[in-house]
Amino acid sequence: MAGQKSHALVWGAEAPPQARDLYYPALDLDLRTLPDNAVAEMVVPGAKLFTMNSWKTEGHFNADATGRALIPRSELEHWEIWVLAVGPMGEPLGAGSFAVIVTPKAVDGRIEFVTDFLGNDWTGSVEIEVIEPTELMTTLTVKAQLRDAKTHDPATGALSVDMGKTQPRFESTTDALEADLGLCLDFMLAAQNTTPGSPYEKGLYLFYDVDGGMWRTPNWTWTWGPSIMVALEAAAVAPSLADRADRLREFALELGELSLGVVIDNPGHPSDGMGVARWDPLPEVRRGSEKFASLADPLVLAGWAWGRLHDATGDQRYIDAMRALAAAADRQIKEFGVVQQDWLFERERWLERILDEAGFGTEGLAELHRLTGDEDVATLASAYLDPLLDRLGRDDGLWDRFWYVETEARTPSENMIRGLGWAMQGLLGAYAATSKQSYLDAANKMAGIVLDNQRADGSWTFEFDRPASEVGHSDKGTPLWSLLLYRLHEITGNERHLAGARAAMEWSRGRLRRNPTDEARGGIVGVGPQSGIAYRPWFRQCCTYSTAFTAAAITFELKQ
């Protein structure tokens, strides 16, 4: 992720060329048990300043001549911390180090310091320095320290780890399915962010990084939807989980409450009525990461979660939030002829292209139509999807990957199974809202090609026409398509759809990590060109929504 380009430093509009790099220290000490005087020591030789967690703080921290800065406890987050180091060009930034320093106070002549660790297996180091007889300075160098986020080339060793040559198989009895549903829920609950005072406290981390030994990416709000969906339904379809019903409902409502805050209320601004969907780590932008507003992303969150949350609570705010998104979609379609992909807050412009995944926004419109019966919403669902079909749809039933707004050029379909799944959601959502046969026909056509390329073990590779030895199995796309095929079978009754759904579900169950002491227990490891989507390619990552989609597929199977 290194960058050595000319950019404005955070302290002024004019700046000389800079060296810039992102670092990812991990804090696995529980901030709730650290004293207020705790500070983090960040050291990067050559750095002149640092920014921290752009979604949390606006300021920056000056470094001394050695590249050292002390960061207050209030700026820290549990697990992954995003740090941008900035220095002058010509002085390459060095390897970083990260530690937490606490200075316990003496009470009745006795010094005692107790803290809790976040993980199951803390392996850091502790240094104690006597400052004076009644005061100690304790430095804890945490596990993981700084983890490389740079690209790995595809490697046989990387692909074989946790992927295996033989697909594990497990019983498909009701008891076994319910046990695996519980295992998935364990992972989702473990992914909840516990950082006190964080904007994303009680939200979900998107990944557990097996190679890094840390939870990562707390700020992709749209991905919380599948976990909410499953948490609200699990106990009803799995009697063995009945004793967890209250906690699962609480979990879903916590996520739902936090997710309502994504809708942007800024009249006159291009992003008004959209939702803050994610932050991406980008060393080339001013503060090292960028906020993205989207319509498709919060609409699919609404489709997965907000309608069900309204059903569970009667809370009108979920319908109001969906209406705000629908109004913004209507406005963009009238202005541009098609919904835009993202508004980029640092660069203050629209993303230059529209992706196949924009299709899945119809899921939220379908839910709004279900809840309100408003036929204008059904009309909007067609107005939303039809321009995307015109720009990205293909005669063979697949979608192309990108459509460029200025040039109207297309990037041909990459056969990327996850992206095609998002497009499939668009077709299913539009059909649910309108009952138009053309959308169901298109869904059947796409499903036929996808099923033609399903592997014998039930999986798909990242690009379905390329071997796993080159691109890896699709740890995200396989459980997603399992769920989509269950949904399609519910409409069509086509036994081929059900067989494909079951095969993909069984593959996903076989990949669940099962060691009771494993931090990623219940996760599905992915190794490939988008292991961590925005970063960490070819590192072992467990994506939260992969597990949630597996759980959702299991709930469908339990209802068969």
Side-chain angles (χ1 to χ4, degrees):
M1 302 297 292
Q4 293 205 343
K5 303 177 182 180
S6 179
H7 303 280
L9 291 173
V10 294
W11 61 67
E14 299 298 329
Q18 302 156 19
R20 303 165 67 89
D21 204 353
L22 280 168
Y23 295 79
Y24 301 91
L27 178 67
D28 55 359
L29 304 172
D30 192 332
L31 286 166
R32 295 165 295 188
T33 64
L34 291 178
D36 291 340
N37 65 11
V39 296
E41 178 189 62
M42 187 75 199
V43 181
V44 175
K48 299 302 180 184
L49 66 84
F50 301 103
T51 67
M52 305 279 295
N53 299 328
S54 295
W55 62 89
K56 183 170 184 173
T57 178
E58 294 291 332
H60 67 272
F61 302 93
N62 291 321
D64 64 18
T66 68
R68 176 180 183 265
L70 297 180
I71 313 299
R73 172 182 176 275
S74 60
E75 305 300 327
L76 303 178
E77 291 269 323
H78 284 165
W79 296 108
E80 181 182 51
I81 300 171
W82 292 7
V83 181
L84 173 69
V86 180
M89 183 65 80
E91 297 182 20
L93 300 173
S97 65
F98 179 84
V100 175
I101 300 172
V102 296
T103 309
K105 301 298 182 183
V107 177
D108 297 329
R110 177 181 174 82
I111 297 174
E112 184 174 296
F113 169 57
V114 178
T115 189
D116 290 337
F117 304 114
L118 297 174
N120 296 329
D121 182 24
W122 190 81
T123 54
S125 64
V126 178
E127 299 176 9
I128 298 177
E129 177 184 352
V130 178
I131 300 174
E132 56 180 83
T134 59
E135 187 174 342
L136 300 180
M137 184 172 72
T138 305
T139 302
L140 297 97
T141 303
V142 300
K143 181 181 72 173
Q145 292 189 24
L146 301 173
R147 294 295 180 179
D148 182 18
K150 300 175 177 64
T151 303
H152 272 188
D153 292 326
T156 303
L159 286 167
S160 66
V161 173
D162 277 311
M163 304 308 283
K165 294 181 179 179
T166 302
Q167 168 64 26
R169 294 289 177 183
F170 296 91
E171 289 184 332
S172 294
T173 63
T174 296
D175 287 347
L177 289 168
E178 290 191 14
D180 280 357
L181 178 55
L183 183 63
C184 291
L185 290 164
D186 289 343
F187 184 81
M188 289 181 267
L189 290 164
Q192 194 165 28
N193 186 348
T194 59
T195 307
S198 170
Y200 296 107
E201 183 181 6
K202 297 185 178 179
L204 294 181
Y205 295 102
L206 181 56
F207 297 106
Y208 185 82
D209 185 330
V210 175
D211 289 319
M214 59 202 277
W215 291 95
R216 308 188 81 125
T217 312
N219 46 29
W220 280 39
T221 53
W222 71 271
T223 66
W224 303 346
S227 295
I228 296 172
M229 174 175 66
V230 171
L232 287 173
E233 187 175 9
V237 300
S240 64
L241 300 177
D243 61 344
R244 302 178 68 177
D246 290 346
R247 173 62 188 120
L248 294 174
R249 177 184 171 86
E250 177 187 46
F251 171 73
L253 266 57
E254 288 170 347
L255 290 171
E257 184 69 28
L258 190 58
S259 72
L260 284 171
V262 307
V263 180
I264 298 168
D265 182 11
N266 189 5
H269 191 273
S271 67
D272 183 47
M274 300 174 71
V276 178
R278 71 187 191 277
W279 292 73
D280 279 359
L282 298 166
E284 63 269 22
V285 301
R286 188 173 64 100
R287 292 184 50 77
S289 60
E290 184 156 31
K291 179 168 67 172
F292 286 71
S294 168
L295 270 175
D297 291 350
L299 277 169
V300 78
L301 168 66
W304 283 323
W306 287 353
R308 290 171 173 84
L309 285 162
H310 179 270
D311 292 342
T313 65
D315 192 332
Q316 180 66 25
R317 292 179 300 162
Y318 292 110
I319 291 181
D320 293 343
M322 286 190 272
R323 287 196 182 279
L325 296 173
D330 184 60
R331 185 177 69 247
Q332 286 188 16
I333 292 165
K334 289 175 178 175
E335 181 176 354
F336 302 110
V338 64
V339 291
Q340 299 299 288
Q341 186 70 42
D342 295 306
W343 177 261
L344 316 180
F345 279 88
E346 284 282 350
R347 287 169 277 185
E348 297 184 333
R349 63 170 176 83
W350 295 108
L351 189 68
E352 67 279 2
R353 64 183 184 266
I354 296 171
L355 285 70
D356 50 9
E357 64 194 52
F360 63 17
T362 60
E363 296 271 41
L365 299 175
E367 276 293 88
L368 181 58
H369 178 258
R370 178 182 70 82
L371 291 168
T372 65
D374 186 344
E375 289 305 312
D376 287 342
V377 177
T379 301
L380 177 60
S382 288
Y384 181 107
L385 191 68
D386 290 348
L388 295 173
L389 281 168
D390 290 342
R391 290 160 174 80
L392 292 166
R394 294 160 39 126
D395 291 340
D396 65 2
L398 301 181
W399 284 29
D400 284 329
R401 180 66 172 143
F402 303 130
W403 182 81
Y404 288 85
V405 175
E406 291 294 326
T407 65
E408 300 189 356
R410 294 186 183 204
T411 297
S413 175
E414 298 171 347
N415 298 327
M416 199 262 272
I417 194 68
R418 186 181 80 245
L420 290 170
W422 303 144
M424 183 65 152
Q425 282 193 268
L427 296 169
L428 293 177
Y431 177 73
T434 67
S435 300
K436 287 185 178 180
Q437 185 65 35
S438 60
Y439 297 140
L440 183 58
D441 291 344
N444 277 313
K445 194 171 186 178
M446 182 185 289
I449 297 174
V450 167
L451 286 168
D452 286 344
N453 287 276
Q454 189 173 25
R455 306 283 159 151
D457 64 3
S459 72
W460 288 270
T461 54
F462 176 75
E463 294 172 4
F464 66 61
D465 58 342
R466 297 179 64 187
S469 60
E470 293 180 4
V471 295
H473 296 280
S474 184
D475 59 295
K476 306 172 187 69
T478 299
L480 169 61
W481 270 98
S482 177
L483 173 60
L484 295 174
L485 289 167
Y486 272 114
R487 288 177 58 186
L488 188 59
H489 171 261
E490 198 171 48
I491 300 167
T492 66
N494 186 323
E495 289 301 310
R496 190 184 184 206
H497 297 158
L498 180 59
R502 282 175 166 163
M505 185 266 292
E506 293 299 338
W507 182 91
S508 302
R509 287 182 62 211
R511 297 300 177 181
L512 294 172
R513 294 169 71 92
R514 297 173 181 273
N515 187 331
T517 63
D518 190 343
E519 199 82 58
R521 181 176 177 272
I524 299 173
V525 167
V527 181
Q530 288 193 13
S531 300
I533 304 179
Y535 60 176
R536 300 285 283 176
W538 301 106
F539 288 84
R540 294 180 299 163
Q541 308 286 320
C542 295
C543 180
T544 305
Y545 68 62
S546 299
T547 292
F549 286 139
T550 301
I554 291 172
T555 66
F556 265 89
E557 183 61 30
L558 287 168
K559 291 183 287 187
Q560 293 299 312

